[in-house]
Amino acid sequence: MFGIIYENVSTPGPLGVLLVVSILLAITRIIRIFTQAQDKKPLKNHQIDHEIEPLLDFDFRKTDPIKYQPYKTQGHVTMGIQKRVRSDWIRIDRGYLNRIRERLPLIKEKPEFTIGTGEKVNPAIEELYEEIMIRYLPARFPTMFKAGGKTVKNLATGTTYPLSTAGLTHAEMLAYMGENVEEDFYFMCPDPDGQYRLQGYIACFPGGFLSPARVGESVREIHKPVPGYERKLGLSVDRYFGRMQPGDFIGRMNWSLQVDGADLFRTDGNNYYPGMDGAFSGEKEDPSLDECYLRVEHQTLTKLPRSGAVIFTVRSYMTSLHQVKAEGDGKALAEAIESMPEGLGHYKMRQYWGNKILPWLTEDVQINDANKHDK
């Protein structure tokens, strides 16, 4: 996941509710509707619609994934982030149900890898639940998430979740998020020295990132294995996090090759780290082309207003290299891989699979298909 900001990438505290005398009780209730109080009352729809553009005719079954070809446009090791809008925070398309089905057993059977809570991050988890599950989803996708009474119904899956954090554990909040959206969320919380450290997550689709082992690490510590990060980006990224304001949305794409299957849950194996020599079998050097995929992460960052946590939101896409090549992008992908600086190429594991995959990507599609036919 945390290949972020590596290639070309594109607070106030909680609002308190005043305690007033009994004759002003009605006024207090109105105030609570317009605050983010700690009493965990449900938030009303009319409070949130003005911030989010509703997709009134949305049908996820007819919605194509976004176009993503970062290998055509991105250079390497720069901070060229791009602005995003709140409405595009969460994306849903025709692959939604398949990927939710892939997430469910991971949440239930591997919570030690997929769910991370703790005293330092729990206020931010509660805040994100309010932002995503209560405010965002019913407002952005009203044909899919129907709020009524004390719950929201997901019409695509037939499940419901609470329209309030009252009575929920923080692990349950993360689980509900993971069961209803495809995005993973990583919570970078400020410490007393102003460093942002990973303190929690809902991470069903980590791209070679073992989340539990990284809890407590700063942005720089997480990126330590990434060639060139400290020298080119470390200080500027730290400063950028400090300057971010609630409401800012920025994003970029991260991409790599995954040459041993399409499963999205990967805690290792997609990136090279020191000491890994000899850790892989021959399948990395001689992969089956049918098992080779382009893995793209659409990543956004935003800062929560109450907790001040920076949220990394990661949405993963997998595309067969056969499809990439059939669409005429094989040569462009090969050129992007070959143009990587030596350190970056090594980090992306080019030294293992490059000798087989790169020549194949540059072959003409028609010639390759003809050869298949002759066999």
Side-chain angles (χ1 to χ4, degrees):
M1 165 267 176
F2 280 93
I4 79 144
I5 320 174
Y6 180 58
E7 298 159 68
N8 178 31
V9 302
S10 27
T11 77
L15 296 178
V17 178
L18 297 178
L19 299 177
V20 294
V21 293
S22 58
I23 60 173
L24 296 178
L25 182 58
I27 297 176
T28 302
R29 290 173 179 170
I30 295 174
I31 291 173
R32 285 176 177 172
I33 294 175
F34 290 94
T35 61
Q36 296 169 335
Q38 292 180 333
D39 60 358
K40 306 178 183 179
K41 296 293 183 181
L43 301 173
K44 302 301 182 180
N45 286 339
H46 70 264
Q47 178 187 354
I48 59 179
D49 290 355
H50 71 282
E51 291 184 337
I52 303 164
E53 180 184 358
L55 298 176
L56 300 176
D57 299 319
F58 180 75
D59 185 344
F60 74 94
R61 296 164 296 186
K62 300 177 181 179
T63 303
D64 292 329
I66 62 171
K67 297 295 182 183
Y68 52 90
Q69 297 172 315
Y71 49 86
K72 286 186 173 183
T73 59
Q74 292 190 174
H76 308 292
V77 200
T78 70
M79 183 72 176
I81 55 178
Q82 299 176 342
K83 288 186 177 182
R84 297 287 191 261
V85 295
R86 181 181 176 83
S87 289
D88 291 335
W89 195 1
I90 304 299
R91 299 183 183 275
I92 297 176
D93 58 46
R94 51 184 165 78
Y96 175 77
L97 288 179
N98 287 336
R99 287 185 291 262
I100 291 298
R101 280 193 286 264
E102 188 173 347
R103 296 173 72 85
L104 293 178
L106 294 170
I107 294 171
K108 294 178 181 178
E109 299 170 14
K110 299 180 183 292
E112 69 275 19
F113 295 111
T114 58
I115 291 178
T117 66
E119 182 180 350
K120 295 179 180 179
V121 72
N122 285 345
I125 292 173
E126 182 177 331
E127 187 176 6
L128 188 66
Y129 186 93
E130 295 172 359
E131 291 285 340
I132 296 292
M133 307 300 289
I134 300 175
R135 291 189 179 90
Y136 187 95
L137 292 179
R140 178 63 168 166
F141 306 106
T143 62
M144 188 170 173
F145 293 91
K146 292 290 187 183
K150 297 181 179 180
T151 62
V152 177
K153 184 170 184 178
N154 182 331
L155 299 181
T157 64
T159 59
T160 61
Y161 64 82
L163 194 60
S164 169
T165 58
L168 295 179
T169 68
H170 295 94
E172 288 171 335
M173 295 177 202
L174 291 176
Y176 278 125
M177 286 189 267
E179 293 167 2
N180 284 276
V181 301
E182 299 175 48
E183 284 77 2
D184 286 335
F185 301 102
Y186 297 83
F187 297 77
M188 303 297 294
C189 300
D191 69 12
D193 296 325
Q195 290 285 318
Y196 285 81
R197 299 183 179 276
L198 178 67
Q199 299 294 359
Y201 50 85
I202 171 66
C204 296
F205 296 156
F209 185 81
L210 183 58
S211 303
R214 299 300 186 91
V215 169
E217 291 189 350
S218 68
V219 179
R220 288 196 188 191
E221 290 166 340
I222 289 171
H223 287 86
K224 188 175 180 179
V226 182
Y229 178 87
E230 178 65 26
R231 177 170 54 88
K232 295 186 177 182
L233 292 178
L235 184 59
S236 62
V237 172
D238 289 346
R239 289 173 175 170
Y240 188 86
F241 273 42
R243 293 196 306 265
M244 284 187 70
Q245 297 296 316
D248 289 348
F249 279 83
I250 59 147
R252 49 88 62 177
M253 295 283 190
N254 180 48
W255 61 275
S256 61
L257 295 195
Q258 186 165 300
V259 300
D260 52 0
D263 54 306
L264 285 162
F265 177 77
R266 292 297 177 96
T267 58
D268 57 22
N270 282 357
N271 298 317
Y272 179 87
Y273 297 97
M276 293 177 66
D277 292 314
F280 302 110
S281 63
E283 67 183 11
K284 290 287 187 182
E285 296 183 348
D286 186 25
S288 167
L289 295 174
D290 293 337
E291 295 296 312
C292 292
Y293 291 81
L294 171 68
R295 180 173 184 139
V296 175
E297 294 180 350
H298 176 248
Q299 304 170 343
T300 59
L301 296 88
T302 193
K303 179 176 284 188
L304 298 179
R306 295 205 310 263
S307 64
V310 171
I311 305 300
F312 281 102
T313 305
V314 183
R315 169 72 148 81
S316 299
Y317 300 85
M318 297 290 280
T319 306
S320 165
L321 290 193
H322 284 296
Q323 180 178 335
V324 172
K325 189 173 178 180
E327 293 175 352
D329 286 338
K331 293 181 180 179
L333 178 56
E335 290 173 358
I337 295 170
E338 290 174 328
S339 70
M340 291 178 179
E342 187 62 28
L344 178 58
H346 198 73
Y347 178 71
K348 297 285 190 181
M349 293 193 164
R350 183 179 60 191
Q351 70 274 23
Y352 289 100
W353 42 256
N355 289 337
K356 179 172 184 177
I357 291 178
L358 290 173
W360 175 77
L361 283 172
T362 59
E363 292 177 0
D364 184 80
V365 174
Q366 285 74 27
I367 293 176
N368 191 48
D369 288 345
N371 290 338
K372 281 187 176 182
H373 180 73
D374 290 341
K375 293 178 181 179

